[in-house]
Amino acid sequence: DQQVKQNSPSLSVQEGRISILNCDYTNSMFDYFLWYKKYPAEGPTFLISISSIKDKNEDGRFTVFLNKSAKHLSLHIVPSQPGDSAVYFCAATWFTGNQFYFGTGTSLTVIP
Amino acid sequence: NAGVTQTPKFRVLKTGQSMTLLCAQDMNHEYMYWYRQDPGMGLRLIHYSVGEGTTAKGEVPDGYNVSRLKKQNFLLGLESAAPSQTSVYFCASSKTTGAAEAFFGQGTRLTVV
């Protein structure tokens, strides 16, 4: 049973516009959430994270929003750049947990 | 800074053959993980380790074994490879899971024919 879900397999956005990637989770124990970026033939790399005590975390062009009541998080990329074209995975865990749970990924294409 | 290094990067096996994938990390991390990535399935956890000498099953452990004899190394073994094990395998390590990210290796593309 998939505890972390990314329901959009792909997303296309024009360069300079906002990209919004969504993620839903089912386990209310999760209290730490991460986004990873993956280029072809490379391993995933960490992008940004958020703990459940916050509802927003920013790092440059990347912002993650967390809605605990809806069990939903989103990653906003503003402005989107062609180099952002990659597969994005969201992941979740809890502070006393011992593994990460990953979504199925969303392939983002930023069109120049 | 090597980070997490996986060996080999590519391998083709015949059904029934065995092999070991090696993962090495130089960050002194306690936690190490083996994932497989398949189209439409995301990253699924095979086995993980919370410290030297310990291992535990993840979501899809069948057909795999692991060992963590040294803190920096985490080995994934396939005793009798099957075509269903054709996948891209990623090793990762982390300081903890609670408030720290995992660092991934570059992946091993395994094809079982």
Side-chain angles (χ1 to χ4, degrees):
Chain A
D1 186 28
Q2 195 81 19
Q3 299 190 53
V4 178
K5 300 177 183 179
Q6 293 176 258
N7 292 318
S8 298
S10 62
L11 175 68
S12 290
V13 172
Q14 288 290 131
E15 181 178 3
R17 306 293 291 269
I18 184 171
S19 295
I20 300 176
L21 293 89
N22 294 303
C23 180
D24 297 293
Y25 61 95
T26 57
N27 191 336
S28 58
M29 286 183 63
F30 291 147
D31 54 17
Y32 190 68
F33 305 88
L34 311 92
W35 283 95
Y36 283 83
K37 178 178 181 179
K38 184 184 178 305
Y39 292 119
E42 294 184 10
T45 55
F46 170 73
L47 193 57
I48 192 169
S49 63
I50 188 168
S51 74
S52 59
I53 62 173
K54 295 184 175 181
D55 54 17
K56 177 182 174 182
N57 189 28
E58 283 182 83
D59 184 2
R61 295 185 298 113
F62 302 91
T63 302
V64 56
F65 294 92
L66 175 63
N67 182 333
K68 291 189 293 289
S69 60
K71 294 191 177 67
H72 177 82
L73 64 155
S74 59
L75 174 68
H76 292 210
I77 307 173
V78 184
S80 301
Q81 299 173 354
D84 296 330
S85 297
V87 176
Y88 290 78
F89 291 99
C90 68
T93 185
W94 58 91
F95 280 103
T96 56
N98 51 21
Q99 59 180 282
F100 299 92
Y101 295 83
F102 283 85
T104 51
T106 296
S107 178
L108 173 66
T109 302
V110 180
I111 304 163
Chain B
N1 250 1
V4 179
T5 303
Q6 292 182 229
T7 309
K9 290 185 174 57
F10 303 94
R11 185 74 186 267
V12 178
L13 281 181
K14 293 183 178 179
T15 298
Q17 286 185 319
S18 63
M19 78 164 293
T20 301
L21 282 67
L22 172 63
C23 177
Q25 53 97 1
D26 62 2
M27 296 171 283
N28 202 34
H29 285 167
E30 291 293 335
Y31 289 71
M32 295 188 75
Y33 317 85
W34 275 106
Y35 290 91
R36 59 178 288 174
Q37 185 194 9
D38 302 292
M41 303 293 287
L43 292 160
R44 293 185 294 168
L45 184 65
I46 304 170
H47 286 279
Y48 64 97
S49 168
V50 302
E52 181 179 317
T54 73
T55 63
K57 294 180 180 179
E59 181 186 357
V60 288
D62 293 343
Y64 305 95
N65 56 75
V66 288
S67 64
R68 183 105 182 262
L69 299 180
K70 292 183 178 181
K71 186 176 184 178
Q72 64 267 34
N73 295 337
F74 195 29
L75 279 61
L76 177 71
L78 286 73
E79 290 185 347
S80 179
S84 61
Q85 294 177 303
T86 294
S87 187
V88 181
Y89 292 85
F90 290 100
C91 175
S93 72
S94 66
K95 190 183 303 185
T96 72
T97 55
E101 68 270 27
F103 295 81
F104 282 81
Q106 77 276 29
T108 296
R109 182 172 293 276
L110 174 66
T111 302
V112 183
V113 298

